Amino acid sequence: QVRLVESGGGLVQPGGSLRLSCAASGIIFRFENMGWYRQAPGKERELVATITSDGNTNYADSVKGRFTISRDNGKNTVYLQMNSLEPEDTAVFYCNAKKYSSSSVYTNYWGQGTQVTVSS
């Protein structure tokens, strides 16, 4: 079975930093695309950042310059370094992974989420 397990969330003051990790297990392949989404109370889940197996990255405008996504293909792990955190970043962060079966069709996998709270 495929599992994505997030860790690293917690409570941090505005301006602080956190590093999230997501470890994929139960696979014998490398996900073509992995990333992070977040969902705040009363809001829709939104894309935060993605990274391909080749290292190409994309970021939401709201986190550009503050967050950095990276991955360790050998460990099947993706990371999200979050700096200069703001109260607006408070949300449950979810790890996402996509396995393509064709050029346009993929299977979506999700982690259980980890809480990030930015508050004084």
Side-chain angles (χ1 to χ4, degrees):
Q1 57 180 336
V2 177
R3 292 190 66 195
L4 302 177
V5 180
E6 303 99 332
S7 62
L11 174 65
V12 65
Q13 296 183 8
S17 299
L18 285 174
R19 190 184 192 222
L20 306 183
S21 299
C22 172
S25 63
I27 57 174
I28 58 173
F29 54 84
R30 183 172 298 165
F31 286 108
E32 289 87 355
N33 190 289
M34 300 186 73
W36 293 91
Y37 290 68
R38 67 185 180 187
Q39 186 168 22
K43 298 182 179 180
E44 296 181 337
R45 186 173 300 186
E46 64 174 348
L47 173 69
V48 177
T50 62
I51 185 168
T52 69
S53 59
D54 294 328
N56 294 317
T57 60
N58 286 290
Y59 296 91
D61 289 340
S62 60
V63 307
K64 287 181 179 178
R66 300 189 298 121
F67 292 7
T68 302
I69 189 170
S70 61
R71 65 188 290 172
D72 184 333
N73 290 329
K75 296 182 178 180
N76 279 325
T77 300
V78 63
Y79 306 93
L80 185 67
Q81 178 66 45
M82 304 185 294
N83 299 324
S84 301
L85 283 162
E86 305 166 351
E88 292 75 17
D89 295 317
T90 296
V92 177
F93 282 69
Y94 296 91
C95 181
N96 170 262
K98 294 177 173 63
K99 175 60 181 176
Y100 282 80
S101 56
S102 70
S103 61
S104 60
V105 179
Y106 61 84
T107 299
N108 224 6
Y109 297 92
W110 294 94
Q112 82 289 347
T114 184
Q115 177 70 48
V116 172
T117 302
V118 185
S119 176
S120 298

